[in-house]
Coordinates of all heavy atoms in Angstrom, one line a residue:
M136 N 0.8 -1.2 0.0 CA 0.0 0.0 0.0 C 0.9 1.2 0.0 O 1.7 1.4 0.9 CB -0.9 0.0 1.2 CG -2.3 0.5 0.9 SD -3.3 0.6 2.4 CE -4.9 0.5 1.7
S137 N 0.6 2.1 -0.9 CA 1.4 3.3 -1.0 C 0.8 4.4 -0.1 O -0.3 4.3 0.3 CB 1.5 3.8 -2.5 OG 0.3 4.4 -2.8
E138 N 1.5 5.5 0.1 CA 1.0 6.6 0.9 C -0.2 7.2 0.3 O -1.2 7.5 1.0 CB 2.1 7.7 1.0 CG 1.8 8.8 2.0 CD 1.8 8.3 3.4 OE1 2.6 7.3 3.7 OE2 1.0 8.8 4.2
G139 N -0.3 7.3 -1.0 CA -1.5 7.9 -1.7 C -2.8 7.1 -1.4 O -3.8 7.7 -1.3
D140 N -2.7 5.7 -1.3 CA -3.9 4.9 -1.2 C -4.5 5.2 0.2 O -5.7 5.0 0.3 CB -3.5 3.4 -1.3 CG -3.2 3.1 -2.7 OD1 -3.7 3.8 -3.6 OD2 -2.5 2.1 -2.9
R141 N -3.7 5.6 1.2 CA -4.3 5.8 2.5 C -4.8 7.2 2.7 O -5.5 7.5 3.7 CB -3.2 5.5 3.6 CG -3.1 4.0 3.8 CD -2.3 3.7 5.1 NE -1.0 4.3 5.1 CZ 0.1 3.7 4.6 NH1 0.0 2.6 4.0 NH2 1.3 4.3 4.6
A142 N -4.6 8.1 1.7 CA -5.0 9.5 1.8 C -6.5 9.5 1.8 O -7.2 8.7 1.1 CB -4.5 10.3 0.7
P143 N -7.1 10.4 2.6 CA -8.6 10.5 2.6 C -9.1 10.8 1.2 O -8.5 11.5 0.4 CB -8.9 11.7 3.5 CG -7.6 12.4 3.7 CD -6.5 11.4 3.4
V144 N -10.2 10.2 0.9 CA -10.8 10.4 -0.5 C -11.3 11.8 -0.5 O -12.2 12.2 0.3 CB -11.9 9.4 -0.7 CG1 -12.6 9.7 -2.1 CG2 -11.4 8.0 -0.6
P145 N -10.8 12.6 -1.4 CA -11.3 14.0 -1.5 C -12.8 14.1 -1.9 O -13.1 13.3 -2.8 CB -10.4 14.7 -2.5 CG -9.9 13.6 -3.3 CD -9.9 12.3 -2.5
L146 N -13.5 14.9 -1.3 CA -14.9 15.1 -1.8 C -14.9 16.0 -3.1 O -14.3 17.1 -3.1 CB -15.7 15.8 -0.7 CG -17.1 16.2 -1.0 CD1 -18.0 14.9 -1.2 CD2 -17.8 17.1 0.0
D147 N -15.4 15.4 -4.1 CA -15.4 16.2 -5.4 C -16.6 17.1 -5.4 O -17.7 16.8 -5.8 CB -15.5 15.1 -6.5 CG -15.4 15.8 -7.9 OD1 -15.5 17.1 -7.9 OD2 -15.2 15.1 -8.8
Q148 N -16.3 18.3 -4.9 CA -17.4 19.3 -4.8 C -18.1 19.6 -6.1 O -19.3 19.7 -6.1 CB -16.8 20.6 -4.3 CG -16.4 20.7 -2.8 CD -17.6 20.6 -1.8 OE1 -18.7 20.6 -2.3 NE2 -17.3 20.5 -0.6
E149 N -17.3 19.6 -7.1 CA -17.9 19.9 -8.4 C -18.9 18.9 -8.9 O -20.1 19.3 -9.3 CB -16.9 20.1 -9.5 CG -17.4 20.9 -10.7 CD -16.3 21.1 -11.7 OE1 -15.1 21.2 -11.3 OE2 -16.6 20.9 -12.9
S150 N -18.6 17.6 -8.7 CA -19.5 16.6 -9.2 C -20.7 16.5 -8.2 O -21.8 16.1 -8.7 CB -18.8 15.2 -9.4 OG -18.4 14.8 -8.1
V151 N -20.5 16.7 -6.9 CA -21.6 16.7 -6.0 C -22.6 17.8 -6.4 O -23.8 17.6 -6.4 CB -21.2 16.8 -4.5 CG1 -22.3 17.2 -3.6 CG2 -20.4 15.6 -4.1
G152 N -22.1 19.0 -6.7 CA -22.9 20.1 -7.1 C -23.7 19.7 -8.4 O -24.9 20.0 -8.5
R153 N -23.0 19.1 -9.3 CA -23.7 18.7 -10.6 C -24.8 17.7 -10.3 O -25.9 17.8 -10.9 CB -22.7 18.1 -11.5 CG -22.4 18.9 -12.7 CD -21.8 18.2 -13.8 NE -20.7 17.3 -13.5 CZ -19.4 17.7 -13.5 NH1 -19.1 18.9 -13.8 NH2 -18.5 16.8 -13.2
L154 N -24.6 16.8 -9.4 CA -25.6 15.8 -9.0 C -26.8 16.4 -8.5 O -27.9 16.1 -8.9 CB -25.0 14.8 -8.1 CG -24.6 13.4 -8.7 CD1 -24.1 12.5 -7.6 CD2 -25.7 12.8 -9.5
S155 N -26.6 17.3 -7.4 CA -27.8 17.9 -6.8 C -28.5 18.8 -7.7 O -29.7 19.0 -7.7 CB -27.4 18.6 -5.5 OG -26.5 19.6 -5.8
R156 N -27.8 19.4 -8.7 CA -28.4 20.3 -9.6 C -29.3 19.4 -10.6 O -30.4 19.8 -11.0 CB -27.3 21.0 -10.4 CG -27.9 22.0 -11.4 CD -27.0 23.2 -11.7 NE -27.5 23.9 -12.9 CZ -27.2 23.6 -14.1 NH1 -26.4 22.6 -14.4 NH2 -27.8 24.3 -15.1
M157 N -28.7 18.2 -11.0 CA -29.5 17.3 -11.8 C -30.8 16.9 -11.1 O -31.8 16.7 -11.6 CB -28.6 16.1 -12.2 CG -27.8 16.4 -13.4 SD -26.5 15.2 -13.7 CE -27.5 13.8 -14.1
D158 N -30.6 16.6 -9.7 CA -31.7 16.2 -8.9 C -32.8 17.3 -9.0 O -34.0 17.1 -9.2 CB -31.3 16.0 -7.5 CG -31.0 14.6 -7.2 OD1 -31.1 13.8 -8.1 OD2 -30.5 14.3 -6.0
A159 N -32.3 18.6 -8.7 CA -33.3 19.7 -8.7 C -34.0 19.8 -10.1 O -35.2 20.1 -10.1 CB -32.5 21.0 -8.4
M160 N -33.2 19.6 -11.2 CA -33.8 19.8 -12.5 C -34.8 18.7 -12.8 O -35.8 18.9 -13.4 CB -32.7 19.8 -13.5 CG -31.9 21.1 -13.6 SD -30.3 20.9 -14.5 CE -30.9 20.6 -16.2
Q161 N -34.5 17.5 -12.2 CA -35.4 16.4 -12.4 C -36.7 16.7 -11.7 O -37.8 16.4 -12.1 CB -34.8 15.1 -12.0 CG -35.6 13.9 -12.4 CD -34.9 12.6 -12.0 OE1 -33.9 12.6 -11.2 NE2 -35.4 11.5 -12.5
V162 N -36.6 17.1 -10.4 CA -37.7 17.5 -9.6 C -38.6 18.5 -10.3 O -39.8 18.4 -10.4 CB -37.3 18.0 -8.2 CG1 -38.5 18.6 -7.5 CG2 -36.8 16.8 -7.4
Q163 N -37.9 19.5 -10.8 CA -38.6 20.6 -11.6 C -39.3 20.1 -12.8 O -40.5 20.4 -13.1 CB -37.5 21.7 -11.9 CG -38.2 22.9 -12.5 CD -37.2 23.9 -13.0 OE1 -36.3 23.6 -13.7 NE2 -37.4 25.2 -12.7
A164 N -38.6 19.2 -13.5 CA -39.2 18.6 -14.7 C -40.5 17.8 -14.4 O -41.5 17.9 -15.1 CB -38.2 17.7 -15.5
M165 N -40.4 17.1 -13.2 CA -41.6 16.3 -12.8 C -42.7 17.2 -12.4 O -43.9 16.9 -12.7 CB -41.2 15.4 -11.7 CG -40.5 14.1 -12.2 SD -39.6 13.2 -10.9 CE -40.7 13.2 -9.5
A166 N -42.4 18.3 -11.7 CA -43.4 19.3 -11.3 C -44.1 19.9 -12.5 O -45.3 20.1 -12.6 CB -42.8 20.3 -10.4
L167 N -43.3 20.2 -13.5 CA -43.8 20.8 -14.8 C -44.7 19.8 -15.5 O -45.8 20.2 -16.0 CB -42.7 21.3 -15.7 CG -42.0 22.6 -15.3 CD1 -40.7 22.8 -16.2 CD2 -42.9 23.7 -15.4
A168 N -44.3 18.6 -15.5 CA -45.1 17.5 -16.2 C -46.4 17.4 -15.5 O -47.4 17.2 -16.1 CB -44.3 16.2 -16.3
A169 N -46.4 17.4 -14.1 CA -47.6 17.3 -13.3 C -48.5 18.5 -13.6 O -49.7 18.3 -13.7 CB -47.3 17.2 -11.9
D170 N -47.9 19.7 -13.7 CA -48.7 20.9 -14.0 C -49.4 20.7 -15.4 O -50.6 21.0 -15.5 CB -47.8 22.1 -14.1 CG -47.8 22.9 -12.8 OD1 -48.5 22.4 -11.9 OD2 -47.2 24.0 -12.8
R171 N -48.6 20.2 -16.4 CA -49.2 20.1 -17.7 C -50.3 19.1 -17.7 O -51.3 19.3 -18.3 CB -48.1 19.7 -18.7 CG -47.4 20.9 -19.3 CD -46.6 20.5 -20.5 NE -45.5 19.5 -20.2 CZ -44.3 19.9 -19.8 NH1 -44.0 21.1 -19.7 NH2 -43.4 18.9 -19.5
R172 N -50.1 18.0 -16.9 CA -51.2 16.9 -16.8 C -52.4 17.5 -16.2 O -53.5 17.3 -16.6 CB -50.7 15.7 -16.0 CG -50.0 14.7 -16.8 CD -50.0 13.4 -16.0 NE -49.3 13.5 -14.7 CZ -48.0 13.5 -14.5 NH1 -47.2 13.3 -15.6 NH2 -47.5 13.6 -13.3
R173 N -52.2 18.3 -15.1 CA -53.4 19.0 -14.4 C -54.1 19.9 -15.4 O -55.4 19.9 -15.4 CB -52.9 19.7 -13.2 CG -52.9 18.9 -11.9 CD -52.8 19.7 -10.7 NE -51.6 20.5 -10.6 CZ -50.4 19.9 -10.1 NH1 -50.5 18.7 -9.6 NH2 -49.3 20.6 -10.1
Q174 N -53.3 20.7 -16.2 CA -53.9 21.6 -17.1 C -54.7 20.9 -18.2 O -55.8 21.4 -18.5 CB -52.9 22.5 -17.7 CG -52.5 23.7 -16.8 CD -51.2 24.4 -17.2 OE1 -50.8 24.2 -18.3 NE2 -50.6 25.2 -16.3
A175 N -54.1 19.8 -18.7 CA -54.8 19.1 -19.7 C -56.1 18.5 -19.2 O -57.1 18.4 -19.9 CB -53.9 18.0 -20.3
E176 N -56.0 17.9 -18.0 CA -57.2 17.3 -17.3 C -58.3 18.4 -17.1 O -59.5 18.1 -17.4 CB -56.8 16.7 -16.0 CG -57.9 15.9 -15.3 CD -58.3 14.7 -16.1 OE1 -57.7 14.3 -17.0 OE2 -59.4 14.1 -15.7
R177 N -57.8 19.5 -16.6 CA -58.8 20.7 -16.4 C -59.5 21.1 -17.7 O -60.7 21.3 -17.8 CB -58.0 21.9 -15.9 CG -58.8 23.1 -15.5 CD -59.7 22.8 -14.4 NE -60.8 23.7 -14.3 CZ -60.8 24.8 -13.5 NH1 -59.9 24.9 -12.6 NH2 -61.8 25.6 -13.6
A178 N -58.7 21.1 -18.8 CA -59.2 21.5 -20.1 C -60.2 20.4 -20.6 O -61.3 20.8 -21.2 CB -58.1 21.6 -21.1
R179 N -59.9 19.1 -20.3 CA -60.8 18.1 -20.7 C -62.1 18.2 -20.0 O -63.3 18.0 -20.5 CB -60.2 16.7 -20.4 CG -59.5 16.0 -21.5 CD -58.5 14.9 -21.1 NE -59.1 14.1 -20.0 CZ -59.9 13.1 -20.2 NH1 -60.3 12.8 -21.4 NH2 -60.4 12.4 -19.2
I180 N -62.1 18.5 -18.6 CA -63.3 18.6 -17.8 C -64.1 19.8 -18.3 O -65.3 19.8 -18.4 CB -62.9 18.6 -16.3 CG1 -62.3 17.3 -15.9 CG2 -64.1 19.0 -15.5 CD1 -61.6 17.3 -14.6
D181 N -63.4 20.9 -18.5 CA -64.1 22.1 -19.0 C -64.8 21.9 -20.2 O -66.0 22.3 -20.5 CB -63.1 23.3 -19.2 CG -62.7 24.0 -17.9 OD1 -63.3 23.7 -16.8 OD2 -61.7 24.8 -17.9
A182 N -64.2 21.2 -21.2 CA -64.8 20.8 -22.5 C -66.0 20.0 -22.2 O -67.1 20.2 -22.9 CB -63.8 20.2 -23.4
A183 N -65.9 19.0 -21.3 CA -67.1 18.1 -21.0 C -68.2 18.9 -20.4 O -69.4 18.7 -20.8 CB -66.6 17.0 -20.0
L184 N -67.9 19.9 -19.5 CA -68.9 20.8 -18.9 C -69.6 21.6 -20.0 O -70.8 21.8 -20.0 CB -68.3 21.6 -17.9 CG -67.9 20.9 -16.6 CD1 -67.1 21.9 -15.6 CD2 -69.1 20.3 -15.9
A185 N -68.8 22.1 -20.9 CA -69.4 22.9 -22.1 C -70.3 22.0 -22.9 O -71.3 22.5 -23.4 CB -68.2 23.4 -22.9
R186 N -69.9 20.7 -23.1 CA -70.8 19.8 -23.9 C -72.1 19.6 -23.1 O -73.1 19.4 -23.8 CB -70.1 18.5 -24.2 CG -68.9 18.7 -25.2 CD -68.5 17.3 -25.8 NE -67.9 16.4 -24.8 CZ -66.7 16.5 -24.4 NH1 -65.9 17.3 -24.9 NH2 -66.3 15.6 -23.5
I187 N -72.0 19.5 -21.8 CA -73.2 19.4 -21.0 C -74.1 20.6 -21.2 O -75.3 20.4 -21.5 CB -72.9 19.2 -19.5 CG1 -72.3 17.8 -19.3 CG2 -74.2 19.3 -18.7 CD1 -71.7 17.6 -17.9
E188 N -73.5 21.8 -21.2 CA -74.3 23.0 -21.4 C -75.0 23.0 -22.8 O -76.1 23.5 -22.9 CB -73.3 24.2 -21.4 CG -72.7 24.5 -20.0 CD -73.7 25.3 -19.1 OE1 -74.2 26.3 -19.6 OE2 -74.0 25.0 -18.0
E189 N -74.2 22.5 -23.8 CA -74.8 22.5 -25.1 C -75.6 21.3 -25.5 O -76.0 21.1 -26.6 CB -73.7 22.7 -26.1 CG -73.0 24.0 -26.0 CD -71.5 24.0 -26.5 OE1 -71.2 23.1 -27.2 OE2 -70.8 25.0 -26.2
D190 N -75.9 20.5 -24.4 CA -76.6 19.2 -24.7 C -75.9 18.3 -25.7 O -76.6 17.5 -26.3 CB -78.0 19.5 -25.2 CG -79.1 19.2 -24.2 OD1 -78.7 18.7 -23.1 OD2 -80.3 19.5 -24.4
E191 N -74.6 18.4 -25.7 CA -73.8 17.5 -26.6 C -73.1 16.4 -25.8 O -72.4 15.6 -26.3 CB -72.8 18.3 -27.3 CG -73.3 19.4 -28.2 CD -73.9 18.8 -29.5 OE1 -73.5 17.7 -29.9 OE2 -74.8 19.4 -30.0
F192 N -73.3 16.4 -24.5 CA -72.6 15.5 -23.6 C -73.1 14.0 -23.9 O -74.2 13.8 -24.1 CB -72.9 15.8 -22.1 CG -72.1 14.8 -21.2 CD1 -70.7 15.1 -21.0 CD2 -72.7 13.7 -20.6 CE1 -70.0 14.2 -20.2 CE2 -72.0 12.9 -19.8 CZ -70.6 13.2 -19.6
G193 N -72.1 13.1 -24.0 CA -72.4 11.7 -24.3 C -72.4 11.4 -25.8 O -72.5 10.2 -26.1
W194 N -72.1 12.4 -26.6 CA -72.1 12.2 -28.0 C -70.6 12.5 -28.5 O -70.0 13.5 -28.1 CB -73.0 13.1 -28.8 CG -74.4 12.9 -28.3 CD1 -75.1 13.7 -27.4 CD2 -75.4 11.9 -28.6 NE1 -76.3 13.2 -27.1 CE2 -76.6 12.1 -27.9 CE3 -75.3 10.8 -29.5 CZ2 -77.7 11.2 -28.0 CZ3 -76.4 9.9 -29.6 CH2 -77.6 10.2 -28.9
C195 N -70.1 11.6 -29.3 CA -68.8 11.7 -29.8 C -68.6 13.0 -30.6 O -69.4 13.4 -31.4 CB -68.5 10.5 -30.8 SG -66.9 10.6 -31.6
V196 N -67.5 13.8 -30.3 CA -67.3 15.1 -31.0 C -66.8 14.8 -32.4 O -66.8 15.8 -33.2 CB -66.3 16.0 -30.2 CG1 -66.8 16.3 -28.8 CG2 -65.0 15.3 -30.1
E197 N -66.4 13.6 -32.7 CA -65.9 13.4 -34.0 C -67.0 12.9 -34.9 O -67.2 13.5 -36.0 CB -64.8 12.3 -33.9 CG -64.0 12.0 -35.1 CD -62.9 13.1 -35.4 OE1 -62.5 13.7 -34.3 OE2 -62.6 13.4 -36.5
C198 N -67.7 11.9 -34.6 CA -68.7 11.3 -35.5 C -70.1 11.5 -35.1 O -71.0 11.3 -35.9 CB -68.4 9.8 -35.7 SG -68.8 8.8 -34.2
G199 N -70.3 12.0 -33.8 CA -71.7 12.3 -33.4 C -72.4 11.0 -32.8 O -73.6 11.2 -32.4
D200 N -71.8 9.9 -32.8 CA -72.4 8.7 -32.3 C -72.4 8.8 -30.8 O -71.7 9.5 -30.2 CB -71.6 7.4 -32.7 CG -72.1 6.9 -34.0 OD1 -73.0 7.5 -34.6 OD2 -71.5 5.9 -34.5
A201 N -73.4 8.0 -30.2 CA -73.4 7.9 -28.7 C -72.2 7.3 -28.2 O -71.7 6.3 -28.7 CB -74.6 7.1 -28.3
I202 N -71.6 7.8 -27.1 CA -70.5 7.2 -26.4 C -71.0 6.2 -25.4 O -72.0 6.5 -24.7 CB -69.7 8.3 -25.7 CG1 -69.1 9.4 -26.7 CG2 -68.5 7.7 -24.9 CD1 -68.5 10.6 -26.0
A203 N -70.4 5.0 -25.4 CA -70.9 3.9 -24.6 C -71.0 4.4 -23.1 O -70.0 5.0 -22.6 CB -70.0 2.7 -24.7
P204 N -72.1 4.1 -22.4 CA -72.3 4.5 -21.0 C -71.1 4.0 -20.1 O -70.7 4.7 -19.3 CB -73.6 3.8 -20.6 CG -74.4 3.7 -21.9 CD -73.3 3.5 -23.0
A205 N -70.6 2.8 -20.4 CA -69.5 2.2 -19.6 C -68.3 3.1 -19.8 O -67.5 3.3 -18.8 CB -69.2 0.8 -20.0
R206 N -68.1 3.6 -21.0 CA -66.9 4.4 -21.3 C -67.1 5.8 -20.6 O -66.1 6.3 -20.0 CB -66.9 4.7 -22.8 CG -65.7 5.4 -23.3 CD -65.6 5.2 -24.9 NE -64.7 6.2 -25.4 CZ -63.4 6.1 -25.4 NH1 -62.9 5.0 -24.7 NH2 -62.6 7.0 -25.9
L207 N -68.3 6.3 -20.5 CA -68.5 7.6 -19.8 C -68.4 7.4 -18.3 O -67.9 8.3 -17.6 CB -69.9 8.1 -20.1 CG -70.0 8.8 -21.5 CD1 -71.5 9.1 -21.8 CD2 -69.2 10.1 -21.6
A208 N -68.9 6.2 -17.8 CA -68.8 5.9 -16.4 C -67.3 5.9 -16.0 O -67.0 6.3 -14.9 CB -69.5 4.6 -16.1
H209 N -66.5 5.3 -16.8 CA -65.1 5.2 -16.5 C -64.4 6.5 -16.5 O -63.6 6.8 -15.7 CB -64.4 4.2 -17.5 CG -62.9 4.2 -17.4 ND1 -62.3 3.6 -16.3 CD2 -61.9 4.7 -18.2 CE1 -61.0 3.7 -16.5 NE2 -60.7 4.4 -17.5
D210 N -64.8 7.4 -17.5 CA -64.2 8.7 -17.6 C -65.2 9.7 -18.2 O -65.4 9.8 -19.4 CB -63.0 8.6 -18.5 CG -62.3 10.0 -18.7 OD1 -62.8 11.0 -18.0 OD2 -61.4 10.2 -19.5
P211 N -65.9 10.4 -17.3 CA -67.0 11.3 -17.8 C -66.6 12.4 -18.7 O -67.4 13.0 -19.4 CB -67.6 11.8 -16.5 CG -67.1 10.9 -15.4 CD -65.8 10.4 -15.9
A212 N -65.2 12.7 -18.7 CA -64.8 13.8 -19.5 C -64.4 13.3 -20.9 O -63.9 14.0 -21.8 CB -63.5 14.4 -18.9
V213 N -64.6 12.0 -21.2 CA -64.2 11.5 -22.5 C -65.0 12.1 -23.6 O -66.2 12.4 -23.4 CB -64.3 9.9 -22.5 CG1 -65.8 9.5 -22.6 CG2 -63.5 9.3 -23.6
S214 N -64.3 12.4 -24.7 CA -65.0 13.2 -25.8 C -65.2 12.4 -27.0 O -65.9 12.9 -28.0 CB -64.1 14.5 -26.1 OG -62.8 14.1 -26.5
H215 N -64.6 11.3 -27.1 CA -64.7 10.5 -28.4 C -65.3 9.1 -28.1 O -65.1 8.5 -27.0 CB -63.4 10.3 -29.0 CG -62.8 11.6 -29.6 ND1 -62.3 12.6 -28.8 CD2 -62.7 12.0 -30.9 CE1 -61.9 13.6 -29.7 NE2 -62.2 13.3 -30.9
C216 N -66.1 8.6 -29.0 CA -66.5 7.2 -28.9 C -65.3 6.2 -29.1 O -64.2 6.7 -29.5 CB -67.6 6.9 -30.0 SG -67.0 6.7 -31.6
I217 N -65.5 5.0 -28.8 CA -64.4 4.0 -28.8 C -63.8 3.9 -30.2 O -62.6 3.8 -30.3 CB -64.9 2.7 -28.3 CG1 -63.7 1.8 -28.0 CG2 -65.9 2.0 -29.2 CD1 -63.1 1.9 -26.7
N218 N -64.6 4.1 -31.2 CA -64.1 4.0 -32.6 C -63.2 5.1 -33.0 O -62.2 5.0 -33.6 CB -65.2 3.9 -33.6 CG -66.0 2.5 -33.5 OD1 -65.3 1.5 -33.3 ND2 -67.3 2.6 -33.6
C219 N -63.6 6.3 -32.6 CA -62.8 7.5 -33.0 C -61.6 7.7 -32.0 O -60.7 8.4 -32.4 CB -63.7 8.8 -32.9 SG -65.0 8.8 -34.1
A220 N -61.7 7.1 -30.9 CA -60.6 7.2 -29.9 C -59.4 6.4 -30.4 O -58.3 6.7 -29.9 CB -61.0 6.8 -28.5
K221 N -59.6 5.4 -31.2 CA -58.5 4.5 -31.6 C -57.5 5.3 -32.5 O -57.9 6.2 -33.2 CB -59.1 3.4 -32.5 CG -59.6 2.3 -31.6 CD -60.3 1.2 -32.4 CE -61.1 0.2 -31.5 NZ -62.1 -0.5 -32.2
Ligands
ZN275 ZN1 -66.9 8.8 -32.8

């Protein structure tokens, strides 16, 4: 064993800083993604409420066919019938 092997392992400040910055960026990216999901969900619900107002709720916005009740029960904000959603 040489003298150098017994020397304390230096803390690499720069790489630790990079790591925590990457952590912070990842947390931020996840928060932004969650925000976007919430906004998209909000828009879907608003659109569904507008369809209720216009008596269009339950009808596919694409083809005008009735959306299956089970599909609506699973997700009341759904805007397309099963055929058009594919
Ligand atoms: Zn349709």
Side-chain angles (χ1 to χ4, degrees):
M136 222 186 202
S137 75
E138 190 64 33
D140 287 335
R141 282 195 300 277
V144 178
L146 176 64
D147 185 345
Q148 285 290 358
E149 198 181 322
S150 66
V151 167
R153 252 201 307 274
L154 259 182
S155 59
R156 186 155 167 272
M157 278 167 64
D158 267 356
M160 284 164 67
Q161 194 179 8
V162 166
Q163 189 185 43
M165 277 161 47
L167 284 173
D170 261 5
R171 275 195 296 272
R172 270 197 306 276
R173 269 195 296 274
Q174 278 167 17
E176 185 64 13
R177 183 65 200 261
R179 263 163 44 79
I180 292 168
D181 281 351
L184 289 173
R186 288 196 299 278
I187 290 172
E188 289 280 311
E189 294 157 16
D190 250 356
E191 297 287 331
F192 183 78
W194 305 96
C195 175
V196 298
E197 190 78 29
C198 69
D200 273 0
I202 299 170
R206 189 167 162 74
L207 282 172
H209 173 70
D210 178 7
V213 76
S214 57
H215 288 75
C216 73
I217 192 85
N218 291 321
C219 294
K221 278 174 192 164

